[in-house]
Amino acid sequence: MPAAQHTMAGDTGHVEHPSPNFDDDYFARVLPTFDSLGATPPENPDAQAIARNWVASLATHSARQDAPGLVAALLHPAGWWRDLFALTWDLRSFAGAAAVAAFLADCLPARGLGDVALQSAEHQAPFPGLAWVLVRFAFGTRVAAGRGTARLVYGPDGAWRAFAVSTQLDELKSRSERLGDRRDFRTEQGDWEARRAAEREFADKDPEVLVVGAGHGGLGTAAHLKHLDVSCLVVERNERVGDNWRNRYDSLTLHDPIWTNHMPYLPFPPSWPVFSPARKIANWFESYVDALDLNVWTSAEALSAARDEHTKKWDVRVRRADGSERVLHVDNVVLAQGYTFKNVVFPGQEEFQGRLMHSTQYRSAKGLDAKKVVIMGACTSAHDIASDCVNHGIGDVTMIQRSSTYIISSQAAVRALVPASTWEHRPCHEIELDNFSMSFKLQSPLHTRVAAVMREMDRELLDDLARTGYRVKNGAAGDRGLFHLLFGRGGGYYLDTGACAKIIDGKIRVKSGSEVARITPTGVALADGTELPADVIVVATGVDCERKLARKLLGPTVGGRVPDIWGLNAEGELRGSWHELDGLDNMWFIHGNFATCRFYSKLIALQIKAKQEGIFGPRYAPPSSP
């Protein structure tokens, strides 16, 4: 499923152009349907010829640094341009011809755009009344090589112009990753184990980069940095790599299909189950560290971080398993701890005579001495835990659903969002070039149509759930499916792997529409006056703001400058994600699901490498982050 800030110091003539006010009516007007374009394209257009002409014109106008001519000839008036660190050293989306022209007028002279070459083209018709020619092209700047896409739509004048263009940083010139014929060709490797032990310890020098957290985001970033010859250390507070998955409930599996979850450089074997057990993933992470020679300290916690304004380094205090502490002086810090879970405290919970636990403390219902279980929450963890309780014979299981939940069956998600027919037969980097080529806001109206298709696929399931009193969010006004919930708020959904059938069959009860008033000695009292008796209460109230972890590390003064993380800014880009944090030089956030982290971990590593080589920036960024 496809996914900004400080001005361009040192550049001259730069004028900021605010983005328009984006709302549902705006998208309805500008989505390039045949009706809105006022033209129906030929039924079988010659995609290759159309793409060759467009790319040739892009090359000509770019060479001349002719931003107005480029926009007039090649971009639809309501078109978008998303740049992923190639021309802006930032993550930016520009909407409308005027904004794109201003951006190109600033960035073409500053960065250069040349060596433009067509790679492939195809005609696509994702929905009735909507079609384009998807063009993939390569290009270069003064310091880097990039990949780009353009979606060309047909106008009433018979011309094909781009409704959406992307330019993406792909490689730094003369600083390529050590892969293939660039890898280590030494015939004498000496005592490899001793050398690796010394590399991990950093006894005689500090790493250039410290990554905090050895989950999929942290390990993927470390792998890219290693292959770019940037020294990197990952600190993980758990005893083993993978414990962030290994220590969750026993029944946990990934809810995304395995073919979307490959790690950089080392894809999962094709024999793996589509929905992999969490402990299998945990063990894979350990193997990944070993296979790629990543430097990881386990049972190590980053306690504090402060930037030395004289050395321009981050001084990070790390406590290790034996209790010893070391201050590492590093150029960059990558925060990859993931989400923390909300630790909600309910009135009266200290009086509860049964067992109360958070979802992070729940392991299994096996051996759980309970006849009645109440689960606070109705998203992924709550459904998984309720289903596990039923599987282990607990006869009275109730979820408290405080607000509606978005439901998608795993089969619908696999078939409609990430079909194996695509993912199993194309390299991930090719799919990602397409999927991440549009601003999240531009994708929004497209996902409204995807959500409608998926609702029909799941119609029977949704109707059956609604009949039980379960409140489904599907079909609400502006329904953009998982897309909107994932990138807008990071929750509120459940990708069904079996719990919904148990709800429909009455094996899991759902109490909807009422807040918890308090915990009583014998159960949960709700605001509507009802009380649910319980022997065990599990609190599964979702995740908390990522800023809390950063603020704990940085302290109250500097930590207070950490901007909002997640949620969309005015340009339709995620706030605080995948680029240097505003006001906190050389500090980065990596987060998201496996596919998102796989894609953006490379871009973070390339930015860091560019900084280490002195070829980064300056960033071309909005003046503030709304």
Side-chain angles (χ1 to χ4, degrees):
M1 195 168 36
Q5 309 197 52
H6 176 61
T7 58
M8 192 176 189
D11 284 1
T12 58
H14 173 59
V15 179
E16 292 292 345
H17 293 265
S19 298
N21 180 30
F22 302 115
D23 53 29
D24 289 338
D25 289 339
Y26 172 83
F27 287 124
R29 293 194 303 271
V30 303
L31 194 64
T33 61
F34 301 162
D35 288 342
S36 67
L37 292 169
T40 300
E43 191 167 322
N44 294 301
D46 186 342
Q48 297 299 321
I50 293 165
R52 280 194 300 270
N53 290 336
W54 192 90
V55 169
S57 185
L58 175 64
T60 299
H61 286 95
S62 298
R64 296 172 181 167
Q65 297 182 3
D66 178 13
L70 188 159
V71 170
L74 301 180
L75 192 75
H76 184 276
W80 290 64
W81 192 304
R82 188 184 198 215
D83 184 71
L84 299 94
F85 309 102
L87 302 178
T88 62
W89 288 113
D90 207 332
L91 193 55
R92 298 290 306 274
S93 286
F94 305 92
V100 174
F103 140 67
L104 292 176
D106 288 340
C107 289
L108 289 181
R111 311 293 191 228
L113 178 63
D115 302 322
V116 182
L118 175 64
Q119 291 187 316
S120 65
E122 61 187 89
H123 179 246
Q124 296 182 336
F127 298 103
L130 182 66
W132 50 61
V133 171
L134 176 62
V135 181
R136 304 180 186 95
F137 60 93
F139 65 92
T141 67
R142 292 191 180 92
V143 299
R147 302 184 298 162
T149 65
R151 287 171 170 82
L152 311 184
V153 294
Y154 184 75
D157 60 354
W160 291 84
R161 292 184 177 86
F163 182 74
V165 181
S166 72
T167 40
Q168 174 193 319
L169 177 65
D170 190 50
E171 188 176 31
L172 301 176
K173 291 180 177 177
S174 304
R175 296 166 179 87
S176 301
E177 292 183 294
R178 288 193 292 106
L179 304 172
D181 59 4
R182 303 187 188 99
R183 67 180 121 183
D184 187 355
F185 272 80
R186 289 178 297 176
T187 56
E188 177 54 60
Q189 294 288 346
D191 188 339
W192 171 80
E193 287 186 330
R195 190 178 78 243
R196 280 293 302 131
E199 288 174 356
R200 275 193 301 271
E201 279 304 302
F202 289 96
D204 301 324
K205 62 177 182 180
D206 291 326
E208 295 171 86
V209 181
L210 181 70
V211 176
V212 183
H216 55 274
L219 295 179
T221 304
H224 280 296
L225 288 167
K226 180 180 183 65
H227 290 90
L228 285 166
D229 280 326
V230 178
S231 62
C232 175
L233 171 65
V234 182
V235 293
E236 168 57 51
R237 66 180 179 178
N238 286 309
E239 184 178 354
R240 294 171 61 188
V241 171
D243 276 352
N244 54 330
W245 290 97
R246 197 177 284 113
N247 292 340
R248 298 294 306 282
Y249 45 91
D250 295 347
S251 61
L252 178 62
T253 65
L254 296 187
H255 287 225
D256 296 328
I258 194 64
W259 51 77
T260 70
N261 293 331
H262 297 303
M263 296 288 287
Y265 309 110
L266 197 60
F268 294 108
S271 60
W272 272 44
V274 173
F275 300 102
S276 293
R279 282 164 177 72
K280 192 174 181 68
I281 294 294
N283 294 342
W284 180 262
F285 281 178
E286 282 190 318
S287 301
Y288 187 81
V289 168
D290 185 57
L292 296 186
D293 289 346
L294 304 183
N295 301 318
V296 181
W297 291 356
T298 53
S299 298
E301 184 175 4
L303 301 175
S304 64
R307 194 158 194 262
D308 188 318
E309 293 306 320
H310 298 290
T311 65
K312 303 302 181 185
K313 290 181 179 288
W314 284 98
D315 300 333
V316 185
R317 185 164 59 96
V318 177
R319 182 169 58 212
R320 304 191 67 179
D322 61 2
S324 64
E325 293 186 5
R326 176 174 167 185
V327 177
L328 298 168
H329 311 285
V330 299
D331 297 321
N332 296 271
V333 176
V334 179
L335 301 178
Q337 303 110 306
Y339 292 103
T340 59
F341 290 88
K342 291 180 182 176
N343 186 22
V344 180
V345 177
F346 294 93
Q349 67 180 45
E350 69 282 354
E351 302 171 5
F352 183 55
Q353 297 172 358
R355 184 177 176 187
L356 186 146
M357 68 182 80
H358 194 272
S359 62
T360 56
Q361 300 168 309
Y362 180 89
R363 291 293 176 269
S364 172
K366 184 178 181 180
L368 194 64
D369 185 18
K371 295 180 180 179
K372 300 178 185 293
V373 175
V374 173
I375 302 162
M376 311 272 210
C379 291
T380 298
S381 293
H383 283 83
D384 285 352
I385 292 169
S387 183
D388 182 62
C389 287
V390 172
N391 289 343
H392 284 90
I394 296 177
D396 192 332
V397 180
T398 304
M399 289 195 309
I400 298 176
Q401 185 191 35
R402 295 172 298 167
S403 59
S404 58
T405 308
Y406 202 91
I407 296 293
I408 296 179
S409 70
S410 58
Q411 293 302 314
V414 168
R415 290 165 60 193
L417 287 178
V418 286
S421 58
T422 298
W423 283 84
E424 295 277 54
H425 301 289
R426 289 180 62 198
C428 284
H429 70 271
E430 290 184 6
I431 299 172
E432 290 165 344
L433 175 64
D434 300 346
N435 286 354
F436 291 94
S437 60
M438 291 192 287
S439 158
F440 293 116
K441 269 191 172 172
L442 181 54
Q443 292 180 59
S444 186
L446 298 175
H447 278 272
T448 298
R449 297 189 174 204
V450 172
V453 171
M454 297 182 73
R455 279 200 305 275
E456 289 309 308
M457 296 176 70
D458 282 337
R459 176 57 57 198
E460 183 177 353
L461 172 69
L462 298 173
D463 288 347
D464 287 346
L465 284 172
R467 278 192 283 271
T468 71
Y470 189 101
R471 296 169 64 188
V472 295
K473 195 184 297 288
N474 310 57
D479 182 2
R480 295 184 286 276
L482 280 181
F483 169 83
H484 174 67
L485 292 168
L486 177 62
F487 294 110
R489 55 171 287 196
Y493 55 84
Y494 171 58
L495 180 60
D496 180 34
T497 55
C500 287
K502 295 183 175 73
I503 295 170
I504 294 166
D505 292 343
K507 296 175 181 177
I508 298 173
R509 297 187 182 92
V510 178
K511 175 63 177 176
S512 298
S514 183
E515 294 288 336
V516 174
R518 63 181 293 106
I519 306 295
T520 71
T522 57
V524 180
L526 301 177
D528 65 4
T530 61
E531 182 171 344
L532 302 173
D535 305 306
V536 172
I537 298 172
V538 183
V539 179
T541 47
V543 296
D544 217 333
C545 177
E546 282 190 333
R547 286 189 298 178
K548 287 191 173 181
L549 294 173
R551 288 173 172 174
K552 179 182 178 183
L553 180 68
L554 295 169
T557 302
V558 177
R561 293 172 12 214
V562 176
D564 287 339
I565 306 296
W566 216 252
L568 301 184
N569 66 16
E571 292 186 349
E573 297 295 347
L574 282 179
R575 295 177 295 190
S577 305
W578 312 314
H579 59 75
E580 190 177 36
L581 290 176
D582 292 333
L584 294 169
D585 292 346
N586 295 1
M587 181 163 284
W588 319 76
F589 262 101
I590 176 74
H591 50 187
N593 63 10
F594 277 69
T596 303
C597 284
R598 180 181 60 245
F599 178 75
Y600 284 104
S601 61
K602 178 179 179 178
L603 291 171
I604 289 178
L606 286 170
Q607 292 174 79
I608 290 174
K609 178 65 174 178
K611 276 183 166 280
Q612 297 303 103
E613 295 290 335
I615 60 174
F616 178 92
R619 288 170 64 194
Y620 183 85
S624 63
S625 303

